[in-house]
Amino acid sequence: MTTAPHRLRRLLPRLAAGLALALAVPATLTGCSSDGDVLRILAGSEVQDMQPILDDLERETGVRVEFEFMGTLDGTEALLSASEDRAWDATWFPSNRYLSLFPEGQSLIDRSESIMRSPVAFGVKPDVAQRLGWSDDAQPTWQDIVAAIEAGELTYGMTSPVSSNSGFTTLVQLTTALSGTGTVLEPADIERTTPQLEGFAAGQQLASGSSGWLAERFAEQPDLVDGVFNYESVLRGTTVGGQELQVVIPSNGVVTSDYPLTLLAGANEDKTASFTKAVEYLLRDDVQERIANETLRRTTATPPSVDATVFELPFPNQLDTVQSLLTTWVGSIKKPSNMVFAIDTSGSMGEGDRMDQLRAALGVLSGEQDSTSGQLLKLQPRERITYLEFAASIKSEFTVDIPSDEAGYASALATINERTSSYSPQGGTAIYDTLETAYEQVLAGAGDDRISSIVLFTDGENTDGIDASTFRSRHEQLVRDHPEVASVPVFVVLFGEGDVDELTSLAESTGGRAFDGTSTSLSSVFREIRGYL
Amino acid sequence: MKLRAPHIVGIALLAIGIIAVLVVQLTGLGKSATNGFGLTTVNGVVGSEKAAFFADPEVQKVFADNGLRVDVTTAGSWSMAERPGLTDGDFAFPASEVAAQHIAQVHPDAVVGTHEPFFSPMAIATFEPVLRVLAESGVASQGADGRWTIDMAAYLELVSTDVRWNQLPGAAGVYDSPRSVLITSTDIRTSNSAGMYLALASYVLGGDRVVSTVEQADELLPALTHLFVSQGYAGASSAAPFADYLSQGMGAVPMVMIYEGQFLEEQLKPNSRIQPNMVLATPGPTIFSAHTGVTFSEGGEQVMRLLETDADLARLLAAHGFRAQGEHAGVFDAFIAEQGLSDAYAPSSSFVNIAQEPAYETLDYLLTRIGEAYTLSGAPPPTEESTEPPGGTP
């Protein structure tokens, strides 16, 4: 029964709370953000478009949001492996579903509140939709989409299911719908669905590590594909060739991302109060209306349609289902990559720890990290990779086709490790000569059954061989002679004081993009790039 | 002036008296503590569905007018009995008679009394087009009073044969969903409203009889397990299914098992998200969630007595969707009539077909076995209900 000490123990927290309140009032009056008013949020890059609204959140409530962006799967692993004094107070991913499948994932969540919603849909060019007979009133099923691809009438772009939530969601909803069970997807359904998934994979002509970049690329090069899988909100805000996309929401269901703002367990009273203020602000009627207008997501200001136009598919409730789906997709279904790595080992690469960083980045492909995503990022059976080591000229080159059998796979990786570990920094830098060679190499392995790309790792300026403008005109000629080259992007990883502007514009002119390898570790940059390959 | 012995004795007595009062107040000996405003603070643990009611300033005012300040924390009804320090508080208030019996069994020496001041019928939040499709198969029917009923036996028959919505006659162009016909609920492992759904389904599958033996329970387990495990990822919050119903509509959540009061509370909000085609149907038979207060002190008793007898509280209960029992039993019906909602909420007296909860041991056995099925399938463990009121959503 009750004893006096119990009473005291219960009283103390109340006294403390009262005291905290008394102290909090003057702090609020001074109006300046203290540390307690800052919410450090680990987020998907999808919520970057909320910044103007978050600026007003700070103006009105004093709560400032500081983001660190990561992909959903990478972010989940970062959270699961972070120590108690992790660098984030909250998360804001398009969905908590993947995190919640981990037994320890749920205990990381103190509370969460869905702020807005968007299903992942298929944005198709209007003429293609018309040709296929798809419209708002006649939405195809997922089976219809696969049939159109198999008939050679449809190509698409999607993000990597390993790097980005929109690709991940596309894969889950596609497989659930194809499995034909009226309930939740289970591991046994995946094998049964594999032939149809293979038919689907054949239509992919464009890969991306982020949903934002996928939409931009499609808008810039509308001829690459017929449509892209992306958030409904992104698709509604994208025009291609001056025309709005036909948003296809397959009639047998999609999975909606619900953007839960999530307070992580262990938050102190200040952080909890800031979190509550942020949620209250974001759910206010006028702010919900603003979110709907500015980001085109669904909110309380856009009530659900009175008739059922979007059917929601169940999300798996077993981690095993999701992980074997991802493993099967990257290992045996997805179109294999055809990659040419142009690696600068000029003399300047000897500075600092650049060679170590380079080796660590290349190690991502050997599956040196034992995590789930580590296993999904490594080289996969059927992929082809060419290593071009260069300085003033090509120093070494070799190509490996990754075998499917275990012994062949191990020996291929051993060869790669042996060859790349002998790289040593010496000599000048012939960036554009090397890129020209890289295009020749990539052409040899290119084709409709592969996704081809070039990755340039460099720390320096071009000192030898042809210059940028010569390369550009030769590239244009190459595109005229071999139209398939137009879809081969160059991704540039810069990790030194190279000519940032010139290399960025070069990457973008090929449909690729440049990544900054100076401010974060090269291997984390490389993990990001892997989504584009 | 010189102090004489009687004075010293008097002063000493006064001092002892002051100290005694301080001790009693600060330590709360005798349970309920009186605070600076002359109110006695009473602490309770309640199911999250009642958090919004206790947080309502009007409710707090009625208690204050009666000298009480009622502080509540929320906990799942089923886990309350095992909650550390439960009986240090003044009362526990689960949403189930059986959960209350269990508390009394676990803490026999601490219980002062049990009360059932009000109840909530379980109901199914759904949509008119969905009901019309179900009506063609005889699963749903609309009475002359306009109120809809879902025949639970017929519904469970659809589930047992894994019928998809788009296979039902009349679904074409109305509700072409490829999903299996299945009611959405909260997580059975933590939430009382899912527990009531389990009790109801076991009663109907058992031939309108309360399951009373392990043999009977084992026989029904596969069908009962399917009702919950096949729903897929359940969301991290106990308020999630009804919130999804409101925000995503018919395509996402065609039917969700809730407390009737959740629907009413939303309907009465100034910016209610209930749309014209959203309908509250009654399962036939239905089952009552009997909110049962278990008191551990006189303070707890006072709270329960007020809930049973105070006319203002009865009205506030109605506004939060709870039906008072006893002398104010008519208040809910009068409130509904006033609001013009009689076509959606049946009078308390009209419920005749009511399922009963199985005994605690039977329900606990079913819950444990279904929980094991989650583990075997590789599903993650349940999320404990938040200890904070979930922002007004029960």
Side-chain angles (χ1 to χ4, degrees):
Chain A
M1 284 295 297
T2 313
T3 53
H6 275 104
R7 298 282 122 192
L8 271 178
R9 243 181 276 152
R10 256 186 25 209
L11 203 68
L12 282 173
R14 256 185 270 151
L15 281 172
L19 203 61
L21 191 71
L23 291 172
V25 172
T28 313
L29 289 176
T30 61
C32 60
S33 291
S34 70
D35 177 57
D37 294 337
V38 175
L39 275 182
R40 300 163 304 165
I41 302 185
L42 180 64
S45 57
E46 287 92 342
V47 297
Q48 261 171 313
D49 61 359
M50 291 293 289
Q51 198 57 56
I53 293 165
L54 296 174
D55 290 343
D56 286 346
L57 164 75
E58 184 179 359
R59 257 190 291 281
E60 288 195 37
T61 68
V63 175
R64 189 169 81 243
V65 163
E66 286 176 2
F67 281 128
E68 180 177 346
F69 294 112
M70 241 184 243
T72 307
L73 266 67
D74 259 2
T76 299
E77 277 173 12
L79 268 179
L80 291 172
S81 59
S83 57
E84 279 288 301
D85 58 341
R86 60 179 99 80
W88 318 289
D89 310 307
T91 64
W92 202 2
F93 288 106
S95 153
N96 278 347
R97 294 183 185 110
Y98 185 64
L99 175 66
S100 299
L101 291 183
F102 290 87
E104 56 282 36
Q106 292 200 342
S107 57
L108 287 173
I109 298 174
D110 180 315
R111 70 195 71 173
S112 68
E113 197 76 53
S114 164
I115 304 297
M116 52 204 179
R117 287 158 295 282
S118 186
V120 173
F122 187 29
V124 187
K125 287 188 284 193
D127 56 316
V128 176
Q130 203 173 7
R131 168 162 59 79
L132 294 166
W134 299 344
S135 67
D136 286 350
D137 300 325
Q139 299 279 17
T141 60
W142 285 99
Q143 283 81 352
D144 293 335
I145 292 173
V146 173
I149 293 165
E150 285 175 335
E153 291 175 350
L154 184 67
T155 61
Y156 65 88
M158 68 184 269
T159 63
S160 160
V162 179
S163 312
S164 154
N165 181 68
S166 70
F168 174 57
T169 304
T170 301
L171 183 60
V172 169
Q173 57 194 13
L174 164 77
T175 315
T176 304
L178 291 180
S179 78
T181 75
T183 59
V184 66
L185 189 72
E186 288 175 8
D189 299 324
I190 297 170
E191 199 183 327
R192 212 159 34 75
T193 317
T194 299
Q196 287 161 288
L197 290 177
E198 282 168 350
F200 175 81
Q204 184 174 8
Q205 300 284 19
L206 176 58
S208 169
S210 96
S211 36
W213 189 82
L214 179 70
E216 282 170 31
R217 182 91 198 276
F218 186 34
E220 280 161 18
Q221 282 184 279
D223 295 337
L224 282 183
V225 288
D226 294 325
V228 294
F229 290 93
N230 216 318
Y231 299 100
E232 175 200 51
S233 54
V234 173
L235 296 172
R236 295 213 187 275
T238 303
T239 51
V240 171
Q243 288 185 295
E244 284 182 15
L245 295 171
Q246 172 67 43
V247 177
V248 167
I249 299 177
S251 63
N252 48 350
V254 288
V255 171
T256 298
S257 297
D258 61 351
Y259 298 87
L261 186 56
T262 303
L263 183 68
L264 292 171
N268 64 26
E269 266 180 50
D270 286 351
K271 298 293 187 187
T272 305
S274 295
F275 174 84
T276 306
K277 274 190 226 166
V279 166
E280 277 170 4
Y281 178 82
L282 292 168
L283 292 181
R284 229 168 61 186
D285 285 349
D286 57 326
V287 179
Q288 285 278 295
E289 188 160 350
R290 188 174 165 203
I291 295 172
N293 290 337
E294 291 180 17
T295 76
L296 305 177
R297 295 193 187 90
R298 300 171 182 221
T299 68
T300 58
T302 54
S305 139
V306 287
D307 50 355
T309 49
V310 182
F311 292 114
E312 186 75 7
L313 290 168
F315 191 85
N317 56 6
Q318 301 178 41
L319 183 59
D320 188 30
T321 311
V322 171
Q323 292 192 334
S324 58
L325 180 59
L326 286 170
T327 310
T328 310
W329 173 261
V330 299
S332 57
I333 297 177
K334 170 191 177 287
K335 257 192 197 180
S337 310
N338 169 40
M339 301 166 276
V340 176
F341 282 17
I343 301 159
D344 177 354
T345 59
S346 60
S348 56
M349 282 297 290
E351 289 170 22
D353 63 349
R354 285 179 189 175
M355 286 307 287
D356 292 337
Q357 286 234 28
L358 176 66
R359 289 198 184 97
L362 294 177
V364 171
L365 283 183
S366 322
E368 279 172 9
Q369 279 162 302
D370 206 28
S371 60
T372 304
S373 70
Q375 292 308 301
L376 293 166
L377 290 171
K378 70 181 183 185
L379 285 167
Q380 296 295 327
R382 306 173 299 135
E383 290 190 316
R384 164 180 282 200
I385 185 161
T386 298
Y387 290 83
L388 288 178
E389 181 200 9
F390 75 95
S393 61
I394 305 289
K395 289 158 90 174
S396 74
E397 76 174 271
F398 67 103
T399 299
V400 181
D401 285 299
I402 309 296
S404 296
D405 66 291
E406 222 169 288
Y409 185 90
S411 103
L413 254 64
T415 306
I416 292 169
N417 283 339
E418 190 192 329
R419 300 287 294 264
T420 56
S421 57
S422 70
Y423 288 173
S424 70
Q426 196 179 9
T429 311
I431 291 175
Y432 300 103
D433 270 0
T434 307
L435 280 181
E436 211 182 356
T437 311
Y439 265 104
E440 285 162 18
Q441 291 285 349
V442 90
L443 254 182
D448 268 355
D449 54 347
R450 289 175 174 277
I451 289 182
S452 298
S453 46
I454 294 167
V455 185
L456 168 69
F457 295 82
T458 184
D459 72 336
E461 290 185 43
N462 191 46
T463 57
D464 297 83
I466 59 171
D467 61 9
S469 65
T470 312
F471 172 78
R472 274 175 202 258
S473 58
R474 290 194 192 173
H475 180 258
E476 280 164 23
Q477 183 60 44
L478 194 65
V479 172
R480 280 192 290 275
D481 296 344
H482 303 277
E484 64 268 36
V485 167
S487 65
V488 179
V490 176
F491 297 101
V492 179
V493 188
L494 276 166
F495 48 108
E497 46 295 327
D499 192 336
V500 180
D501 292 344
E502 188 174 82
L503 287 171
T504 303
S505 108
L506 171 104
E508 285 172 1
S509 74
T510 66
R513 58 176 286 196
F515 295 85
D516 177 11
T518 51
S519 48
T520 41
S521 86
L522 203 51
S523 41
S524 74
V525 170
F526 189 73
R527 290 166 69 84
E528 193 184 345
I529 290 178
R530 183 67 166 129
Y532 291 80
L533 309 178
Chain B
M1 168 179 142
K2 194 178 170 191
L3 285 173
R4 270 179 272 155
H7 283 129
I8 294 171
V9 170
I11 289 167
L13 279 175
L14 195 66
I16 289 167
I18 289 168
I19 289 167
V21 167
L22 278 174
V23 165
V24 166
Q25 290 210 355
L26 281 173
T27 62
L29 276 176
K31 297 272 187 184
S32 315
T34 306
N35 72 7
F37 301 103
L39 298 180
T40 304
T41 300
V42 182
N43 294 292
V45 178
V46 309
S48 60
E49 70 289 331
K50 289 184 284 290
F53 170 76
F54 281 104
D56 185 335
E58 288 192 60
V59 172
Q60 289 174 347
K61 186 175 177 303
V62 176
F63 282 125
D65 290 345
N66 288 277
L68 299 177
R69 180 195 148 97
V70 182
D71 281 348
V72 299
T73 47
T74 64
S77 294
W78 295 107
S79 57
M80 256 178 218
E82 283 74 28
R83 191 182 163 87
L86 179 78
T87 57
D88 293 346
D90 299 296
F91 65 93
F93 208 175
S96 143
E97 199 179 345
V98 173
Q101 282 167 12
H102 181 54
I103 292 170
Q105 278 166 8
V106 175
H107 306 284
D109 301 332
V111 177
V112 175
T114 58
H115 303 255
E116 282 186 29
F118 53 89
F119 70 99
S120 318
M122 296 309 293
I124 298 165
T126 177
F127 298 83
E128 172 131 11
V130 168
L131 287 167
R132 298 221 174 272
V133 170
L134 290 174
E136 283 210 36
S137 302
V139 179
S141 58
Q142 190 173 23
D145 47 24
R147 290 190 289 268
W148 284 90
T149 304
I150 291 178
D151 180 338
M152 289 306 284
Y155 156 73
L156 289 166
E157 179 62 28
L158 288 185
V159 174
S160 74
T161 49
D162 191 26
V163 172
R164 315 295 166 83
W165 285 102
N166 58 14
Q167 292 169 338
L168 288 172
V174 180
Y175 198 69
D176 293 305
S177 170
R179 291 190 65 168
S180 302
V181 175
L182 203 60
I183 292 174
T184 307
S185 73
T186 48
D187 193 323
I188 183 79
R189 295 168 292 178
T190 51
S191 161
N192 180 71
S193 75
M196 299 306 295
Y197 176 32
L198 171 67
L200 173 59
S202 69
Y203 178 86
V204 175
L205 286 173
D208 286 354
R209 272 195 303 274
V210 174
V211 177
S212 55
T213 66
V214 173
E215 290 72 33
Q216 281 177 310
D218 282 339
E219 203 177 307
L220 302 181
L221 261 171
L224 293 172
T225 303
H226 174 68
L227 289 180
F228 297 96
V229 177
S230 298
Q231 290 183 34
Y233 173 76
S237 139
S238 66
F242 186 55
D244 288 348
Y245 167 87
L246 292 170
S247 63
Q248 289 182 253
M250 185 162 75
V253 186
M255 299 189 284
V256 55
M257 184 67 71
I258 58 170
Y259 299 110
E260 169 196 74
Q262 286 179 271
F263 199 88
L264 180 58
E265 206 174 31
E266 178 67 32
Q267 212 163 18
L268 296 175
K269 282 184 188 167
N271 51 354
S272 165
R273 287 180 286 165
I274 302 290
Q275 295 193 64
N277 68 337
M278 291 179 171
V279 179
L280 191 68
T282 305
T286 187
I287 192 162
F288 291 166
S289 167
H291 300 275
T292 309
V294 182
T295 62
F296 308 120
S297 74
E298 177 50 30
E301 282 288 304
Q302 264 181 284
V303 169
M304 291 303 148
R305 275 200 299 273
L306 281 171
L307 288 169
E308 283 169 336
T309 57
D310 189 280
D312 293 333
L313 281 181
R315 206 188 140 73
L316 287 164
L317 279 169
H320 283 275
F322 300 113
R323 295 175 183 244
Q325 313 226 60
E327 61 183 285
H328 297 298
V331 170
F332 182 85
D333 295 343
F335 178 82
I336 289 298
E338 231 173 80
Q339 300 289 330
L341 296 172
S342 301
D343 57 342
Y345 300 89
S348 294
S349 58
S350 73
F351 292 105
V352 282
N353 192 6
I354 304 162
Q356 302 297 322
E357 286 182 86
Y360 179 81
E361 289 71 23
T362 312
L363 208 47
D364 186 52
Y365 176 75
L366 289 170
L367 287 167
T368 307
R369 294 296 303 275
I370 295 173
E372 284 165 9
Y374 276 91
T375 314
L376 287 176
S377 77
T383 314
E384 285 304 319
E385 289 198 19
S386 167
T387 51
E388 298 289 322
T393 313

